[in-house]
Amino acid sequence: MVIGVASSKRHLPPATFASFARQLQFPGRAFKLRSHENILLYTAIGLVAISLAARAEDLSTATAPLPPGTFTTPAHSDEWKIANALSAAPATITEHASVVDWPANPRDDMSHGRVLRQGNNGWTCMPDVPGRPQHDPMCVDETMMQWLMATLAGKKPNIDQVGLSYMLMGEARQGQGAPPAKDPAQVKEWFYVGPHVMIVLPDTAQDALRGINQDLSNNLPYVSILSSSADATPIWVVPVAKGGDRIKEEPLK
């Protein structure tokens, strides 16, 4: 009996497994397999190959567009979440950035997020926010993380310098000031914002944002407030492409 991994309705040749088996040795003696052990070995190798193929396919979905009618979810492996999070910013940022998952309890702040990868350049990347109709990973610098944590907690961020973040996969928003929907499938209108950067200004410079566009649908830079708190600090969102579009980092030829 030959047990192999099917590929285009063909089996891997027995010689491939036999060659692999002959290379297995225990210290001091050759390792010879009996007939039933051959079957177990071939089965194990086949399962490992299938598992590796499934894992590679899974990672490819970290940046591929979501199928229509589906939403982002935290039900992914750590490797998937890291690949997804690092797609949010240029490689010069993500190469040494930390990756932190969102807290399991949405009411907790980012200090409860699980560290998926430790970095050393002051930047932190997060995977998709659950319950959105498109990927929306984010990378933030230390000042923007300060703003994010305070905003999610409904507190005043107390910003004293410019902060920056990247969302180069874009995002889908419910609209200005809309509370997160319990069931994203019930949201009547999503605003698709293209790849963009977000900027938070020091408290002393907030007047500079007066009169700037607040419309999410026209692909222009806009000001957004993500908290209903009286102490909320606005951010300036600057799209670099239209909603639904992607940008790709390529070297000059």
Side-chain angles (χ1 to χ4, degrees), residues 63 72 84-90 93-94 102 123-130 132-141 144 147-148 163-174 190-199 216 222 224 226 235-248:
T63 55
T72 53
N84 173 257
L86 298 183
S87 69
I93 297 293
T94 61
W102 295 97
W123 285 80
T124 302
C125 299
M126 286 86 70
D128 293 338
V129 176
R132 303 291 177 84
Q134 77 161 57
H135 292 305
D136 59 354
M138 176 192 310
C139 291
V140 302
D141 67 7
M144 189 61 86
W147 172 87
L148 179 63
L164 181 66
S165 68
Y166 288 90
M167 295 187 75
L168 296 186
M169 295 287 283
E171 67 172 327
R173 293 274 305 276
Q174 292 178 238
W190 289 98
F191 293 90
Y192 290 85
V193 182
H196 58 274
V197 296
M198 297 184 292
I199 303 164
L216 307 181
Y222 65 89
S224 183
L226 301 184
I235 56 173
W236 189 21
V237 181
V238 184
V240 295
K242 293 182 179 180
D245 288 350
R246 295 281 184 90
I247 61 174
K248 185 177 181 180

Side-chain angles (χ1 to χ4, degrees), residues 214-243:
Q214 296 187 26
D215 185 351
L216 307 181
S217 66
N218 59 15
N219 296 304
L220 296 175
Y222 65 89
V223 171
S224 183
I225 297 179
L226 301 184
S227 171
S228 59
S229 170
D231 294 326
T233 298
I235 56 173
W236 189 21
V237 181
V238 184
V240 295
K242 293 182 179 180

Side-chain angles (χ1 to χ4, degrees), residues 180-194:
K182 294 182 179 179
D183 181 2
Q186 299 302 314
V187 175
K188 295 182 178 180
E189 184 177 22
W190 289 98
F191 293 90
Y192 290 85
V193 182

Side-chain angles (χ1 to χ4, degrees), residues 22-207:
R22 284 196 297 270
Q23 296 179 42
L24 294 176
Q25 292 184 341
F26 283 141
R29 64 185 178 89
F31 182 48
K32 297 182 179 180
L33 299 178
R34 294 186 294 272
S35 177
H36 72 281
E37 290 174 329
N38 272 322
I39 294 175
L40 292 176
L41 174 63
Y42 300 161
T43 302
I45 294 175
L47 291 175
V48 169
I50 293 172
S51 175
L52 291 175
R55 177 180 173 185
E57 182 179 3
D58 180 50
L59 291 181
S60 73
T61 66
T63 55
L66 295 180
T70 63
F71 299 91
T72 53
T73 170
H76 292 288
S77 67
D78 288 356
E79 291 79 8
W80 189 100
K81 292 179 179 180
I82 291 172
N84 173 257
L86 298 183
S87 69
T92 51
I93 297 293
T94 61
E95 184 177 5
H96 299 292
S98 296
V99 178
V100 178
D101 200 1
W102 295 97
N105 184 345
R107 296 182 180 180
D108 290 338
D109 61 37
M110 286 303 298
S111 64
H112 291 82
R114 186 165 56 92
V115 177
L116 304 179
R117 189 187 83 171
Q118 190 65 53
N120 58 15
N121 66 355
W123 285 80
T124 302
C125 299
M126 286 86 70
D128 293 338
V129 176
R132 303 291 177 84
Q134 77 161 57
H135 292 305
D136 59 354
M138 176 192 310
C139 291
V140 302
D141 67 7
E142 293 176 341
T143 301
M144 189 61 86
M145 177 58 83
Q146 176 184 332
W147 172 87
L148 179 63
M149 293 180 66
T151 298
L152 294 177
K155 300 177 180 178
K156 183 176 175 59
N158 296 316
I159 302 300
D160 60 3
Q161 62 182 354
V162 173
L164 181 66
S165 68
Y166 288 90
M167 295 187 75
L168 296 186
M169 295 287 283
E171 67 172 327
R173 293 274 305 276
Q174 292 178 238
Q176 294 278 27
K182 294 182 179 179
D183 181 2
Q186 299 302 314
V187 175
K188 295 182 178 180
E189 184 177 22
W190 289 98
F191 293 90
Y192 290 85
V193 182
H196 58 274
V197 296
M198 297 184 292
I199 303 164
V200 64
L201 300 180
D203 293 342
T204 55
Q206 290 301 311
D207 286 347

